[in-house]
Amino acid sequence: MTRRIVRASIQLGIFATIILFLVFFLDTRYRVLPQSIHSHLPLHHEGLVITDITVQTCSSLNPLGSCKLDANEWHRIEKDLYLSTGWVSGAYVHIKRKREEELKEDDRVIEDVRIGRLDPAVGEKDEAAHRWEARPAGIWLKRTAKRHAADSTNVVTAVDVLFGADAVEPRPGWEIKDNALQLDTAGEIHEARLTIRRGSPKPFSKPVPRIGKDGKFKIMQVSDLHLSTGLGVCRDANPKTKEFAKCDADPRTLEFVAKAIVDEKPDMVVLSGDIVNGETAPDAQTALFKIAELLAKHHIPYATIWGNHDDTGSLPRDALMSLIESLPYSLAATGSNTIEGIGNYYVEVLAHGNNKHSALTLYFLDTHSGSPDERLYPGYDWLKPKQIQWFKDTAQTLKKSNGHKQYTHIHLDMAFIHIPLPEYTNEKNMIVGKWGETPMAPRFNTHFKDALVEEGVKAVSCGHDHVNDYCALAKNDKSDDPELWMCYAGGVGFGGYGRDEWYHRRIRVFEVDANEARISTWKRVEYGETEKRLDEQVIVDSGRVIAPP
């Protein structure tokens, strides 16, 4: 009996040792352990200063090699600089950091970072008097032991990694270094770039959307951007002429959105899903930052919902939402954690002036991704009963609240989702625009459309089906009265599919006239009739859903 116990204990010990070895071996190349094990300090925590930066490389051919330095001294930024494209190589940026109050007399803090082959003291006249310290991958550090430097707005307090020649930085106080890290290029597709923040995080407040002096509020719906890490590859780009033979997806997509912003001057943008093309975005943060930086540059508030492609890359939905919530001009919110989905929330657009009356409520709901039951209901997921109940409870609470504030005009409500509702597939609906493909709606119907009508929402708009750009009018089964407009934005991104010669990337605009309780809508295209408002129509007038003339 004693021998059995001893033998079992030895076997259990050997098994546990093998498991621990495998986990920590994998963790040197892939992030399999939680962040709390990697480090007990958040990456960009206020009050931290960076004292050193280095790059650690490793090879899978060397079982004893590691891409991790001593965790008691170094924090690893959890992004493989090769984005897992190196056949046998991996590399990670590591930083040393301390709280300001923990700095000792001999600690050195970083004042500046350069990337290049030459010592900046040799190559730059203004830096000749300074001592720069070399680190791997072409990193040069200017460090100082002066204690007061830690309180300076110039000291480096946070470091991150983005990828690609078109990487941008929407976070206030951050800057991307001009040159890419100098790595062994074998297997490298997207150049890795350091981005740093100096001083404390720059504070900013959430914008408050408000009806304009003329009583109007314009919403630009931008759907299915399909942004990549790097420039991206165009799919089904029209026109197919020599002029457009070379087509980089993301630059062309963002150029179109920027032009539409200049032409339309929206008060708000709705990003209605598939912002990130997860399959071509091994670093989703880099892809997401592209549209966030563009909207921040134009000072435009924006709301965000997620689509079925956003979280197929490097970040899950909760991480994407946490990231977008932290950026300037973002109105996005994670929403309740007691219901399904990430990003069930609403935005109130206030009346003109300094009063706090709500003139327009915009609802945003997460339509999830693939079906949870492919055998019975193949295709896509559906809005859950708890989400619908949340919407109904919220709508009724807001009606009471807004009623007590005695808003003198007719209050309007709209909703935005990514995947269309089953009612979009009804071919008996009157439509304005093009039905270019079979609507990819869920097969299971939880009747969210009925809840929208019951709570007085006048229009819902989605994305997902790139070459559908119609608005469909749903009518009451008994009275035949118009009760809800169900619209598509149309696809905007060249990284996603298109179809046929007639189809050009497009955006949808909604203009709300609070004085007349009117909602109008139209589309803008990237090529062709670019100056024209396509399929312009009034969908709500005097607070009532109306049919086209």
Side-chain angles (χ1 to χ4, degrees):
M1 185 71 176
T2 305
R3 287 181 179 178
R4 286 182 183 176
I5 294 173
V6 171
R7 187 165 60 248
S9 299
I10 293 172
Q11 290 172 340
L12 189 62
I14 293 171
F15 179 73
T17 302
I18 292 171
I19 293 297
L20 284 172
F21 174 79
L22 286 174
V23 168
F24 281 93
F25 177 74
L26 286 171
D27 194 50
T28 63
R29 289 156 178 81
Y30 311 104
R31 187 178 175 183
V32 298
L33 296 177
Q35 178 67 22
S36 58
I37 294 178
H38 286 299
S39 173
H40 56 274
L41 288 176
L43 185 56
H44 308 311
H45 187 274
E46 187 173 0
L48 295 177
V49 290
I50 309 300
T51 61
D52 206 349
I53 304 172
T54 193
V55 170
Q56 175 73 0
T57 58
C58 58
S59 170
S60 58
L61 300 179
N62 179 6
L64 300 179
S66 172
C67 272
K68 298 190 70 174
L69 298 176
D70 184 352
N72 293 320
E73 293 189 22
W74 294 91
H75 176 91
R76 188 172 87 169
I77 298 173
E78 295 301 327
K79 292 185 179 184
D80 178 9
L81 300 181
Y82 293 106
L83 289 176
S84 301
T85 61
W87 286 99
V88 296
S89 299
Y92 290 84
V93 171
H94 289 68
I95 58 174
K96 278 187 179 179
R97 58 200 184 152
K98 281 191 174 182
R99 292 186 175 92
E100 291 178 32
E101 63 271 19
E102 294 176 350
L103 289 172
K104 299 177 182 178
E105 290 297 327
D106 57 345
D107 281 327
R108 300 167 69 83
V109 295
I110 298 174
E111 290 185 304
D112 201 2
V113 180
R114 300 287 175 85
I115 312 295
R117 298 189 184 282
L118 296 177
D119 184 340
V122 175
E124 300 178 33
K125 188 176 181 180
D126 295 341
E127 298 297 332
H130 299 289
R131 179 174 176 267
W132 289 80
E133 302 175 25
R135 297 291 185 270
I139 297 174
W140 294 88
L141 305 178
K142 184 198 290 186
R143 300 200 300 165
T144 179
K146 295 177 181 177
R147 292 277 296 153
H148 69 81
D151 302 320
S152 169
T153 56
N154 292 323
V155 68
V156 176
T157 55
V159 177
D160 206 347
V161 181
L162 298 175
F163 296 86
D166 62 337
V168 291
E169 182 58 88
R171 295 174 289 188
W174 287 76
E175 62 173 292
I176 298 177
K177 305 316 292 181
D178 291 340
N179 297 315
L181 292 172
Q182 296 173 3
L183 304 168
D184 176 5
T185 56
E188 185 185 4
I189 296 177
H190 305 299
E191 54 189 35
R193 311 177 79 87
L194 276 190
T195 176
I196 65 170
R197 187 190 69 208
R198 300 175 186 278
S200 301
K202 302 297 183 290
F204 59 87
S205 55
K206 279 207 171 195
V208 178
R210 193 178 288 277
I211 300 293
K213 190 186 300 183
D214 60 356
K216 295 180 179 180
F217 187 83
K218 188 182 287 187
I219 301 166
M220 178 183 290
Q221 185 184 357
V222 177
S223 195
D224 296 86
L225 283 155
H226 285 271
L227 298 171
S228 299
T229 305
L231 299 176
V233 178
C234 286
R235 295 180 60 188
D236 306 323
N238 287 325
K240 294 177 174 62
T241 62
K242 288 184 179 179
E243 179 188 358
F244 294 98
K246 185 182 185 305
C247 179
D248 294 321
D250 290 4
R252 187 166 171 183
T253 298
L254 295 168
E255 185 179 344
F256 169 41
V257 175
K259 184 180 185 304
I261 287 171
V262 171
D263 291 343
E264 289 290 351
K265 299 177 177 56
D267 299 293
M268 177 179 172
V269 165
V270 172
L271 304 174
S272 56
D274 283 357
I275 303 164
V276 176
N277 193 51
E279 297 83 350
T280 60
D283 185 62
Q285 179 184 5
T286 297
L288 189 63
F289 275 9
K290 295 179 191 182
I291 187 63
E293 190 268 345
L294 174 63
L295 296 174
K297 185 169 65 178
H298 287 276
H299 310 292
I300 300 176
Y302 62 97
T304 307
I305 47 181
W306 306 111
N308 50 296
H309 284 277
D310 286 298
D311 54 0
T312 58
S314 64
L315 294 175
R317 283 188 192 207
D318 56 348
L320 287 167
M321 185 59 89
S322 178
L323 199 59
I324 208 78
E325 278 185 291
S326 70
L327 299 178
Y329 296 96
S330 172
L331 298 168
T334 299
S336 172
N337 60 5
T338 62
I339 61 175
E340 298 88 347
I342 303 295
N344 301 294
Y345 65 105
Y346 66 91
V347 170
E348 295 272 43
V349 179
L350 303 185
H352 173 65
N354 294 322
N355 62 65
K356 296 182 179 180
H357 298 156
S358 170
L360 170 68
T361 301
L362 305 173
Y363 295 96
F364 304 91
L365 288 98
D366 185 359
T367 48
H368 315 293
S369 188
S371 170
D373 190 341
E374 279 288 343
R375 187 178 64 84
L376 287 178
Y377 305 104
Y380 291 96
D381 205 348
W382 46 86
L383 283 156
K384 303 299 191 288
K386 283 185 180 179
Q387 289 178 278
I388 296 173
Q389 192 60 52
W390 167 85
F391 161 72
K392 294 174 74 171
D393 292 344
T394 302
Q396 290 165 18
T397 300
L398 290 176
K399 282 177 192 173
K400 292 176 184 177
S401 174
N402 292 332
H404 291 153
K405 291 176 183 175
Q406 297 179 335
Y407 178 56
T408 56
H409 294 62
I410 298 174
H411 187 279
L412 296 172
D413 299 273
M414 297 179 63
F416 292 90
I417 53 180
H418 178 68
I419 296 173
L421 302 175
E423 288 78 6
Y424 274 74
T425 65
N426 186 351
E427 295 184 11
K428 294 180 181 179
N429 291 333
M430 181 184 295
I431 70 168
V432 177
K434 281 192 167 63
W435 180 307
E437 61 179 307
T438 302
M440 299 301 290
R443 300 285 183 90
F444 185 71
N445 193 346
T446 50
H447 301 286
F448 181 56
K449 176 257 179 183
D450 296 336
L452 291 170
V453 173
E454 288 170 14
E455 300 306 329
V457 171
K458 308 303 179 186
V460 59
S461 197
C462 72
H464 191 55
D465 301 331
H466 301 184
V467 296
N468 284 334
D469 73 352
Y470 61 83
C471 283
L473 179 61
K475 294 184 176 182
N476 185 281
D477 291 335
K478 295 179 180 178
S479 67
D480 204 39
D481 291 334
E483 58 182 14
L484 179 71
W485 276 103
M486 302 178 294
C487 295
Y488 275 105
V492 68
F494 283 87
Y497 72 87
R499 193 171 296 166
D500 304 326
E501 289 295 331
W502 67 267
Y503 185 79
H504 301 293
R505 267 57 177 196
R506 55 201 58 209
I507 54 95
R508 180 172 288 280
V509 177
F510 293 96
E511 185 174 74
V512 178
D513 187 333
N515 293 335
E516 304 295 333
R518 179 182 298 144
I519 302 176
S520 305
T521 187
W522 60 87
K523 293 161 293 190
R524 291 276 196 175
V525 290
E526 190 262 350
Y527 183 84
E529 299 178 292
T530 58
E531 304 306 316
K532 185 179 179 181
R533 293 180 171 186
L534 296 180
D535 296 325
E536 185 172 5
Q537 61 178 128
V538 176
I539 58 176
V540 176
D541 199 16
S542 299
R544 294 182 297 108
V545 177
I546 63 170

